[in-house]
Amino acid sequence: MANREFNWPKGFLWGTATAAHQVEGSNINNWSVWELQTAQHRAKTAKQLHSKLPIWPEIAELATNPDCYVSGAAVDHYRRYEEDFDIIEDLGLNAFRFSIEWSRIEPDEGAWNVAALEHYRAYIASLRRRGIEPVLTLYHWTVPIWFSEKGGFEKGKNIAYFERFAEYILRKLGSDIRYIVTVNEPDSVAGQGYVMLEHPGEKSLIKAAAVYINLFRAHKKVYKIAKKLNKKYMVGFSKTFAYAKAYDDSWLSRTMVWLDNKLRDDLIIRFIGKSTDFIGVQFYFTDQHHGWELVHGNKEVTDMGWDRQPQNLEFVLKRLAWCKIPLIITETGIADRGDRWRKEWIEKTIVSVQHALEAGVDVRGYLYWSLLDNFEWAFGRWPAFGLVEVDYEHGLKRKVRPSARYYAAVVKKALAHAVK
Ligand code: BGC
């Protein structure tokens, strides 16, 4: 079992994460519009895309049904959050990352929905009452329709709307918040929306670059606003970090790894400079560079066909030590309906963090993705990332998976042996 003789730092965040659109249900935003436009197509192409996955026989019916790709009621977390927080509390976790849905708070430009605001006030207070540290994300991929109609983050001048939203939230709800993730994975928004066409967007490298840069600019601006309001805030952004390794010893493969690390990670960290209190590390992939080609991982894969090498998080964390910025693992997890590999994923993640801490890397927390099975964006409802299984056939009933119990046992031990 992980962490047998290790003293974890006091205050280390042990938790889990969600994003509003993936769990709440009944959101009307740029994503809900896109889902309706693309659901038929996604259902039609599912066989071609996924039939090679070992899980296919189990998911074929769901994945070929357009309903799978419409978030709809999601897992009704908006109404059932108390029940979900009971589970987090019961697992003994001390942190929870979630996002506030901008489209609920400002459904029309400049019109603030006080009922939605009060909902989130009660939501955060409920976490606090249970001794769970809220980790608030301000942008997890969904925006109000009026904002996307103005061009969303494609246009630099629109950042001001996001700043206004962020300031509103912090002024109204900030007294109960310490950790803030400004923007979630700008790299995914740009790449999947404007190159791969798996998120709202269109094929355009220019727009991809604009969105990417504007989201980081948005981070910087919100960082400034937050720190002006209150120095106590710990403000960061989250980004995907793949472990890049060379497939062979050739000069080209090794140079590609070097370039990958520099261009995908280090450049942006330098651009952010001092405007961040932490970096949210989101780890799912190992990318092998074979000359010019990029080959994903190995033969052991998750339900989604992503490689299963959680242990490589250690190298990502150790490599990031150069920037001397505190790191929080704001996401890492596995799509695993049968809960066959999740325990191993969690254990290897924790060992990785432990090794990084022992090597002097400043890691402040680990938030498993995700608390609940949820709406996995372009993949719809079939991938199951949850510590908690959600039964879509029987009233969205929650069932805690055995791997979650394992995680709880490790956390209990870690908290008991925490040192200053
Ligand atoms: C996103 C999550 C998503 C997860 C698994 C991350 O990139 O932030 O919203 O569910 O990956 O795909």
Side-chain angles (χ1 to χ4, degrees), residues 4-31:
R4 196 168 293 132
E5 271 138 29
F6 187 68
N7 289 325
W8 290 84
K10 230 188 176 83
F12 190 86
L13 301 174
W14 290 100
T16 183
T18 57
H21 188 69
Q22 294 180 269
V23 291
E24 285 185 346
S26 312
N27 290 321
I28 300 173
N29 54 35
N30 63 325
W31 258 88

Side-chain angles (χ1 to χ4, degrees), residues 19 22 97 140-141 184-185 188 192 238 240 282 284 304 306 331 369 374-377 379 385:
Q22 294 180 269
R97 175 179 174 225
H140 200 127
W141 296 356
N184 183 69
E185 294 189 1
S188 305
Q192 299 191 42
S238 76
T240 46
Q282 317 219 136
Y284 293 94
M304 293 168 83
W306 298 0
E331 280 187 34
W369 183 269
N374 58 42
F375 181 72
E376 180 50 32
W377 307 110
F379 289 85
F385 277 89

Side-chain angles (χ1 to χ4, degrees), residues 208-220:
V211 166
Y212 183 74
I213 292 167
N214 286 336
L215 282 169
F216 280 110
R217 286 175 60 208
H219 162 79
K220 275 192 165 186

Side-chain angles (χ1 to χ4, degrees), residues 60-230:
E61 198 185 326
L62 178 61
T64 51
N65 181 345
D67 287 356
C68 174
Y69 305 96
V70 178
S71 55
V75 296
D76 201 18
H77 175 70
Y78 197 75
R79 289 190 300 176
R80 294 169 72 152
Y81 71 88
E82 291 286 5
E83 178 187 346
D84 296 334
F85 292 175
D86 282 347
I87 298 175
I88 305 178
E89 189 178 5
D90 179 54
L91 291 174
L93 305 180
N94 66 12
F96 178 61
R97 175 179 174 225
F98 63 95
S99 67
I100 287 189
E101 180 62 35
W102 184 5
S103 61
R104 287 189 192 278
I105 298 286
E106 194 183 359
D108 292 310
E109 186 186 336
W112 307 94
N113 178 348
V114 177
L117 183 79
E118 291 312 313
H119 165 88
Y120 288 112
R121 190 191 303 285
Y123 186 96
I124 294 166
S126 172
L127 287 170
R128 281 267 174 244
R129 252 196 326 275
R130 296 161 191 274
I132 301 168
E133 181 71 43
V135 179
L136 163 68
T137 307
L138 289 166
Y139 169 72
H140 200 127
W141 296 356
T142 50
V143 295
I145 291 169
W146 61 263
F147 179 76
S148 63
E149 282 174 348
K150 284 179 189 290
F153 287 107
E154 291 168 12
K155 299 206 174 115
K157 67 175 193 316
N158 290 347
I159 297 172
Y161 296 106
F162 180 63
E163 288 175 65
R164 188 177 61 175
F165 160 69
E167 180 160 358
Y168 180 79
I169 293 298
L170 294 182
R171 282 194 187 278
K172 300 285 182 186
L173 305 178
S175 59
D176 254 353
I177 295 291
R178 177 151 190 257
Y179 292 92
I180 300 162
V181 176
T182 53
V183 294
N184 183 69
E185 294 189 1
D187 34 357
S188 305
V189 183
Q192 299 191 42
Y194 296 84
V195 183
M196 320 275 286
L197 300 185
E198 292 194 332
H199 278 209
E202 63 185 88
K203 201 133 202 140
S204 161
L205 284 181
I206 293 177
K207 287 191 176 172
V211 166
Y212 183 74
I213 292 167
N214 286 336
L215 282 169
F216 280 110
R217 286 175 60 208
H219 162 79
K220 275 192 165 186
K221 286 175 185 277
V222 172
Y223 178 85
K224 248 197 199 149
I225 293 171
K227 297 303 264 198
K228 216 171 175 183
L229 286 174
N230 199 329

Side-chain angles (χ1 to χ4, degrees), residues 16 55 91 284 301-304 308 310-311 332-350 366 368-374 382-390 399-408 410:
T16 183
I55 196 85
L91 291 174
Y284 293 94
V301 292
T302 74
D303 285 353
M304 293 168 83
R308 241 170 49 222
Q311 66 277 10
T332 179
I334 180 169
D336 176 17
R337 289 168 79 88
D339 207 34
R340 280 173 293 176
W341 310 296
R342 188 172 287 99
K343 173 176 177 281
E344 184 196 358
W345 187 284
I346 293 171
E347 173 159 28
K348 289 188 171 166
T349 301
I350 294 172
Y366 159 41
Y368 174 84
W369 183 269
S370 174
L371 171 64
L372 299 153
D373 289 347
N374 58 42
W382 66 260
F385 277 89
L387 291 172
V388 179
E389 181 183 342
V390 176
K399 192 171 158 204
V400 177
R401 290 196 162 102
S403 54
R405 298 282 174 214
Y406 165 79
Y407 183 29
V410 179

